[in-house]
Amino acid sequence: MRSHATGGETGVTTELLVRSDEVVFDRFRVEVTEGPDLGASCVADSPALGIGTSPSNQLALTDRAVSRHHCEITVTPRGYLLRDLDSTNGTTLSGVRVQAAYLQSGATINVGATTLRFEVLSDTIHEPLAEERRAGLMLGQSTEMRRIFAVLPKIAASNTTVLLEGEMGTGKGLLAELIHQQSPRASRPLVVINCGAIPPTLIEAELFGYEKGAFADAHQARAGAFEAARGGTVLLDEIGELRLDLQSKLLRVLEEKRLSRIGSILPVRLDVRIIVATNRDLRQEVNRGSFRSDLFYRLNAVRLHVAPLRERPEDIPLLATHFYHQFTDGGELPAELTAALLRHHWPGNVRELRSAVERAVLLGESSHWREGPRGAHPAVHGDGGDDGEGGLGPDEASLPFREGKERVVTRWEQAYLRTLIRASEGNLSRAARVARMDRNYLRELLRRHGISAVDA
């Protein structure tokens, strides 16, 4: 059915129609009413319209007071969202400078020396939605995830460079794996390089390889990521962390489709597909001067944004049930836990949700689940010691909260596991059934705490 989303204090109403196989929303237009590009306009043919001096924007301006990527208008369930992209001179709406605001049809936007008019049109845009709630290892029943699932087969079948954007823990790595697995390159390697985890002095060698003697520790020649992935895919994770000098070298490699190892002048031909991922908005990084604009244009062939979990709460029960079944022998996700999970903000996204479900399964029955100060966490009960402080030792009350809590939880886990294994006479299958826990997961917990079924 058609739902009406109010655009904040402006009172704008967005017609957003979600069907089983598509989402329908009103098309909009942005027109220049004052400034160097007077009369220029752009009608949106997708849910997002970028404005700036870069040719990659849907509405490209020549105003020198406008940033390369100045602002963006996107269609959301709550309305048409105007967002400034950390521009130099800012974005104003009806004379008020804004970082983000919902637009009303007829709104006046100022960027640099340019005045824009925003107008909602009478015709509509239809976007397909996947019927499935799963794609590979990725789960989602929200509109945001089903949009991605719908376009994945076409993206995977191509050889186009893909830019994945989204907060940490949203599943960009899984999405990259899925694109590779569904591509014609699936039989060849997927090589992952985390640009933020490798020291700056080593990242060039990891990417391009080196010859024996190229530097002090180069005792033998080694192929870099691009050579190792020959015929397959390279995922450059956290690409926004790459130094500017290496960005230049990477651009040259992508343009020429060949490289030279460190210490060599012999060219090596490349046959790889490139996927890059980042938790930053690279357009903002371009405006700040920390990311090369020419490299961004080269990487921005296809851009997929993975929404944070707080913006797609309908995915929480689905994901929580999946994780619950991983850590138990099945059964229904308790209603108390579901309600608590839905109340949480999830700054750590899906990764944090998985950890919360794991803790809930490990630490308590459904009657003990409750909402903590920042959301859903299982209640931790002490060991009933004489100190009356929930099992804290004499020195632990003076520790920082997180460290003290970790010590108590670790001690509780160890005591619980030893008691469980003794009561089950060392039989892991029986112990897993008693704990309502997956057998492999129980084995991993025992290994983590250094407990064997023999000496428990």
Side-chain angles (χ1 to χ4, degrees):
M1 62 184 297
R2 189 175 289 271
S3 62
H4 301 269
T6 302
E9 296 180 358
T10 62
V12 62
T13 299
T14 300
E15 294 291 327
L16 183 64
L17 175 61
V18 180
R19 299 180 176 136
S20 62
D21 61 345
E22 67 176 5
V23 60
V24 184
F25 49 88
D26 297 325
R27 195 184 298 270
F28 62 93
R29 174 173 59 204
V30 179
E31 181 179 1
V32 179
T33 58
E34 290 183 32
D37 304 286
L38 178 64
S41 67
C42 181
V43 175
D45 56 5
S46 72
L49 187 147
I51 301 169
T53 58
S54 166
S56 65
N57 289 287
Q58 286 81 358
L59 180 57
L61 304 174
T62 60
D63 186 347
R64 293 186 177 182
V66 171
S67 296
R68 289 191 185 99
H69 302 277
H70 199 100
C71 61
E72 181 182 53
I73 300 172
T74 55
V75 181
T76 76
R78 294 185 59 194
Y80 297 92
L81 179 63
L82 169 69
R83 187 167 64 94
D84 183 80
L85 298 175
D86 200 23
S87 63
T88 301
N89 295 318
T91 301
T92 63
L93 176 63
S94 301
V96 179
R97 183 162 180 167
V98 297
Q99 187 64 39
Y102 289 97
L103 297 174
Q104 182 177 4
S105 187
T108 299
I109 306 166
N110 289 96
V111 293
T114 297
T115 301
L116 307 169
R117 175 182 168 83
F118 169 81
E119 183 182 4
V120 178
L121 305 178
S122 57
D123 58 329
T124 55
I125 298 175
H126 296 246
E127 264 203 11
L129 296 177
E131 294 185 4
E132 298 80 11
R133 303 189 303 171
R134 184 179 195 128
L137 296 177
M138 296 197 73
L139 296 173
Q141 57 191 5
S142 63
T143 300
E144 292 85 348
M145 295 305 297
R146 291 170 60 208
R147 274 176 169 171
I148 292 176
F149 294 166
V151 299
L152 268 182
K154 184 179 294 187
I155 292 174
S158 73
N159 203 39
T160 304
T161 301
V162 181
L163 169 60
L164 305 177
E165 292 184 338
E167 295 178 6
M168 288 184 172
T170 51
K172 299 186 296 297
L174 281 179
L175 185 55
E177 290 182 26
L178 187 56
I179 292 171
H180 173 72
Q181 290 165 1
Q182 294 186 357
S183 76
R185 297 176 177 268
S187 62
R188 304 299 298 164
L190 169 64
V191 177
V192 180
I193 293 291
N194 189 323
C195 301
I198 300 173
T201 54
L202 299 180
I203 185 69
E204 184 175 3
E206 291 292 330
L207 288 174
F208 307 132
Y210 52 85
E211 294 293 341
K212 181 179 179 180
F215 45 85
D217 295 327
H219 303 301
Q220 59 184 8
R222 181 184 172 189
F226 289 103
E227 285 187 77
R230 189 186 303 273
T233 304
V234 172
L235 168 60
L236 300 177
D237 199 8
E238 301 305 339
I239 186 70
E241 307 295 330
L242 200 62
R243 293 194 328 244
L244 281 169
D245 60 322
L246 287 178
Q247 291 177 26
S248 176
K249 294 180 180 180
L250 175 61
L251 176 62
R252 186 169 63 251
V253 166
L254 297 181
E255 293 289 349
E256 297 177 357
K257 292 184 170 54
R258 62 182 181 180
L259 59 81
S260 296
R261 292 182 180 181
I262 299 174
S264 172
I265 60 173
L266 298 177
V268 177
R269 298 292 300 178
L270 296 185
D271 177 22
V272 295
R273 182 186 193 167
I274 305 298
I275 301 176
V276 298
T278 177
N279 62 0
R280 304 183 182 188
D281 189 324
L282 292 186
R283 295 168 300 179
Q284 293 182 338
E285 301 304 315
V286 169
N287 287 341
R288 293 167 184 159
S290 59
F291 201 85
R292 292 181 61 102
S293 58
D294 45 6
L295 178 58
F296 171 72
Y297 304 148
R298 179 64 178 78
L299 299 176
N300 193 36
V302 173
R303 183 161 137 257
L304 292 178
H305 176 73
V306 186
L309 194 55
R310 62 182 174 275
E311 293 180 6
R312 44 189 178 97
E314 57 267 57
D315 289 340
I316 292 174
L318 179 67
L319 290 164
T321 298
H322 171 72
F323 296 139
Y324 184 75
H325 289 164
Q326 279 188 342
F327 302 132
T328 67
D329 56 359
E332 187 175 349
L333 183 71
E336 304 98 317
L337 179 57
T338 303
L341 297 176
L342 286 169
R343 289 192 292 266
H344 191 51
H345 190 61
W346 300 115
N349 293 295
V350 179
R351 188 178 297 144
E352 183 187 4
L353 175 64
R354 184 185 188 278
S355 296
V357 175
E358 180 180 9
R359 285 194 301 270
V361 169
L362 176 64
L363 297 178
E365 298 294 328
S366 60
S367 60
H368 292 150
W369 284 320
R370 58 181 170 84
E371 187 181 15
R374 289 184 54 80
H377 296 286
V380 180
H381 300 284
D383 61 9
D386 295 334
D387 55 10
E389 298 295 333
L392 290 174
D395 299 324
E396 290 174 325
S398 61
L399 293 172
F401 173 79
R402 185 182 298 275
E403 185 178 347
K405 180 179 178 181
E406 287 178 354
R407 288 197 186 185
V408 172
V409 170
T410 298
R411 191 164 61 244
W412 185 93
E413 286 182 6
Q414 292 171 343
Y416 176 87
L417 291 170
R418 285 194 173 94
T419 302
L420 175 68
I421 295 300
R422 287 195 202 103
S424 303
E425 298 177 342
N427 188 313
L428 287 183
S429 297
R430 187 190 309 167
R433 286 195 298 271
V434 171
R436 295 194 300 172
M437 185 184 300
D438 179 77
R439 188 172 182 270
N440 290 331
Y441 179 59
L442 174 59
R443 183 185 290 111
E444 168 60 21
L445 281 177
L446 293 171
R447 184 201 63 76
R448 189 185 304 172
H449 288 289
I451 299 172
S452 72
V454 175
D455 61 13

